[in-house]
Amino acid sequence: MTSTDIAAAAPVEASGSGLRLVLVDAVLGHPGAPVLDGLDLDVAPGELLTVVGPSGCGKSTLLRTLAGLLPLLGGRLTQDGGPVEGPAADRALVFQEDALLPWRSLRANVELPLAIRGLARAARRARADDWLARVGLTDHAARLPHQVSGGQRQRTQLARALAGRPRAVLMDEPFGALDARTRAGMQRLLVTALRGTGATVVFVTHDVDEALFLGDRVALLGTGRVLPVPRPRDRAAHADPATAALRREVLASLGDRPDP
Amino acid sequence: MSAARIARRTGAVLGALAVWQLLAQFRVDAWLRFSQFPTVTETAREFGRRLAGAAYWQDLGESLTRIATGFALAAVLGVAVGTAVARSPLAADLVGPPLEIVRPVPAIALVPVAILLFPGNEQGIVFITFAAAFFPVLVATRHAVRALTPVWEEAVRTMGGGRWRVLWSVVLPGALPGIFGGLSVGLGVAWICVISAEMISGEYGVGYRTWQDYTIVDYPGVFVGMATIGLLGWATSTAVEVLGRWVTRWLPRTAEHQARTRRLPRTAGRRAPARRLPRTAQVPGADTGGRGPRAALDTIGEPS
């Protein structure tokens, strides 16, 4: 094993090179059907920004635009000050729906971004296995996506996105289809997996508690405001008055009644 | 496949042969006239004679070469053009309309075109075989490519994959199940057309020989020819089917299908032993010993 392999297998990849993503006065949507107009958003390098908003407010459109899959209808999108032109490997997208290739084993799915980047077979296998181990899927590496559970598929998607060492990870309600217990486990897993990667994360969700638990800041897409989330990141923090006030505010922005 | 099913399938073929033998041997004339039919035994005797001669094998080789060439061309070009038409509006506009107009023309009606186009009969027959198989492959590929889940392509593009990567890693593997449907249909019509073309304009070949036998009133020979065509068609379509199933072995199968194709252990009384649940799972809460019902739960999302 060479020294590079050891570095690849290390639990923490401190690159500290998260992308800064900036939208200025942006118009998002499909041509002829704008969904969001006049959006300003500044995602700091290495932060985890959660995005909440009512259904149909354009959360997925926002992520697809940041990924470069949808062109802007107006305004500007920059990464580290430069223009974004089309999708690229430094901005990974984790989909809400099952986006694993069904004819590839979990391992081969995780290897795919590495193959695209031109890694040699042995190196990409080692790195894929490392990431599968981190998400607890070593025993399922040879299975096909339809042979594992929905939670295991989402864990594979996470491993696939992070294995390519992206500088930004865009997550579109990745745990939306999972049951509550699995979802809580996935949130902890995500925090662990991201630790030390330095990647900027934009995480779209309709679950307010998920947004507050994961986010450094919460963007309320309906109102255009971005609010900081008090730390430490802890579920018990809901008892904290500042967090409770923030939670009420987020819920209000969704048009929901806050819990009594 | 289980021994019982093999026996049942063999029995079905033998039964059909027995009916043929009886109808021909007793010269049954009841509106349908079997009085001129060669019997199974006559046909089999003739089959044996021909198998011993060189002409039969030459005919077989000619026909197989023609269909292999025509079908291979149709498979490659059908997949290529079908993919292009499905993926590129330009290709769809330029190639689509002319092909849609040619498509309804039966391949065998292209014989005059083939005679005008090609210097020899041989190329003409291959052309007709190609034309027959090309359209089913094209149409199946086009539909399969258009029906691909868009998120697969988006995923590969956000990994930095370009057009060719999307093509090789998403479009072709994802469309294969549909493409193989087209290949199966294409092979069937390719056989129809290669035999017909040989009958019209061939020198050698199973179709040519069968028609020659008919013109000299050698009915057992005609039946040998038809049996040969049937067996060749069956063997080649089975090969495509087996290849297709192997290539698309990742497709989810129903539990019933898996039970049928996998040999399950059988005990006396033809029943697989029922799987026992662990005791702790049968009696929730009782004697958990650290591995209670929770241990039986899925541990998804519990990173260690």
Side-chain angles (χ1 to χ4, degrees):
Chain A
M1 194 184 249
T2 66
S3 58
T4 9
D5 288 334
I6 294 168
V12 172
E13 294 165 9
S15 54
S17 60
L19 278 179
R20 182 178 179 199
L21 292 167
V22 181
L23 278 168
V24 181
D25 196 22
V27 186
L28 314 184
H30 292 274
V35 180
L36 282 163
D37 200 342
L39 181 70
D40 293 301
L41 191 66
D42 189 342
V43 192
E47 84 165 322
L48 200 162
L49 178 77
T50 49
V51 179
V52 295
S55 299
C57 75
K59 298 192 294 281
S60 294
T61 307
L62 170 66
L63 277 197
R64 280 182 153 73
T65 306
L66 291 175
L69 291 170
L70 272 178
L72 280 176
L73 302 178
R76 265 187 314 126
L77 166 62
T78 59
Q79 57 171 19
D80 290 351
V84 169
E85 280 154 8
D90 55 3
R91 279 165 287 125
L93 183 54
V94 176
F95 296 84
Q96 175 179 20
E97 57 266 61
D98 188 0
L100 298 173
L101 302 182
W103 52 88
R104 284 175 168 254
S105 67
L106 302 192
R107 177 187 287 125
N109 265 289
V110 177
E111 280 185 24
L112 186 57
L114 308 172
I116 290 171
R117 284 178 32 174
L119 256 74
R121 182 176 292 269
R124 64 180 189 240
R125 168 129 194 186
R127 192 164 342 152
D129 282 349
D130 173 44
W131 272 103
L132 284 169
R134 289 194 214 188
V135 297
L137 288 174
T138 300
D139 294 343
H140 301 292
R143 297 214 185 169
L144 292 168
H146 75 84
Q147 294 169 327
V148 301
S149 69
Q152 288 167 333
R153 281 198 292 271
Q154 284 310 79
R155 277 195 271 166
T156 311
Q157 269 211 71
L158 181 63
R160 182 173 75 173
L162 294 177
R165 287 187 192 156
R167 298 178 60 207
V169 187
L170 311 167
M171 309 185 81
D172 187 6
E173 298 197 38
F175 313 143
L178 306 178
D179 65 84
R181 202 177 79 87
T182 308
R183 170 187 282 241
M186 288 293 299
Q187 290 164 0
R188 286 195 298 276
L189 176 68
L190 175 66
V191 172
T192 316
L194 285 171
R195 197 172 288 150
T197 63
T200 307
V201 181
V202 181
F203 188 105
V204 160
T205 179
H206 61 257
D207 179 337
V208 174
D209 292 316
E210 184 169 74
L212 295 182
F213 173 64
L214 289 174
D216 298 316
R217 292 191 300 157
V218 182
L220 310 176
L221 211 51
T223 65
R225 285 188 305 154
V226 182
L227 306 171
V229 181
R231 299 285 90 180
R233 183 178 276 151
D234 188 353
R235 280 179 198 289
H238 288 332
D240 174 60
T243 309
L246 176 61
R247 186 168 186 275
R248 274 194 300 277
E249 187 161 2
V250 174
L251 283 170
S253 82
L254 292 173
D256 290 356
R257 276 224 191 132
D259 296 342
Chain B
M1 207 185 298
S2 68
R5 293 198 66 205
I6 292 172
R8 202 159 65 190
R9 287 175 170 222
T10 314
V13 175
L14 292 177
L17 289 175
V19 171
W20 170 12
Q21 176 73 22
L22 289 174
L23 289 171
Q25 192 170 347
F26 295 103
R27 306 193 175 285
V28 175
D29 273 340
W31 191 65
L32 289 174
R33 295 164 301 147
F34 291 93
S35 48
Q36 299 290 312
F37 255 53
T39 60
V40 176
T41 44
E42 281 165 359
T43 307
R45 250 195 311 277
E46 180 64 20
F47 213 149
R49 254 199 303 280
R50 300 221 171 173
L51 285 177
Y56 180 85
W57 297 104
Q58 189 189 358
D59 288 332
L60 206 66
E62 294 278 346
S63 291
L64 281 173
T65 308
R66 286 163 183 161
I67 199 158
T69 317
F71 183 67
L73 279 171
V76 172
L77 287 173
V79 170
V81 177
T83 307
V85 166
R87 302 272 307 169
S88 149
L90 182 69
D93 291 345
L94 293 182
V95 184
L99 286 177
E100 285 306 311
I101 292 166
V102 177
R103 183 153 77 101
V105 180
I108 200 65
L110 295 175
V111 167
V113 179
I115 289 169
L116 291 176
L117 270 179
F118 295 100
N121 275 341
E122 199 56 39
Q123 299 95 317
I125 294 173
V126 170
F127 169 73
I128 290 186
T129 312
F130 158 79
F134 175 72
F135 287 105
V137 178
L138 168 87
V139 172
T141 305
R142 193 181 62 192
H143 281 281
V145 170
R146 282 189 184 150
L148 287 172
T149 308
V151 76
W152 294 340
E153 180 179 346
E154 291 183 338
V156 170
R157 289 179 62 209
T158 53
M159 293 171 202
R163 291 175 71 97
W164 295 106
R165 171 59 75 169
V166 168
L167 190 66
W168 286 112
S169 292
V170 176
V171 174
L172 289 178
L176 269 182
I179 289 173
F180 265 91
L183 289 176
S184 290
V185 176
L187 186 64
V189 287
W191 270 113
I192 293 171
C193 287
V194 77
I195 297 297
S196 312
E198 284 175 349
M199 285 179 168
I200 293 172
S201 67
E203 291 168 83
Y204 309 114
V206 179
Y208 166 82
R209 186 68 54 202
T210 306
W211 197 250
Q212 287 300 305
D213 289 335
Y214 170 68
T215 56
I216 58 171
V217 207
D218 177 0
Y219 289 127
V222 171
F223 276 71
V224 168
M226 291 195 295
T228 306
I229 296 163
L231 289 171
L232 285 175
W234 173 68
T236 50
S237 67
T238 302
V240 168
E241 172 91 17
V242 168
L243 179 68
R245 246 187 265 165
W246 183 78
V247 168
T248 61
R249 62 195 179 283
W250 52 271
L251 281 174
R253 313 263 186 219
T254 61
E256 190 199 359
H257 174 89
Q258 289 178 358
R260 268 192 280 121
T261 49
R262 274 188 214 158
R263 276 160 185 268
L264 292 178
R266 288 235 175 108
T267 57
R270 294 169 53 86
R271 274 169 65 190
R275 251 208 279 169
R276 281 265 177 96
L277 290 171
R279 271 191 73 81
T280 49
Q282 288 175 321
V283 190
D287 183 27
T288 53
R291 282 189 37 83
R294 258 193 76 85
L297 290 175
D298 196 357
T299 51
I300 296 160
E302 295 280 322
S304 48

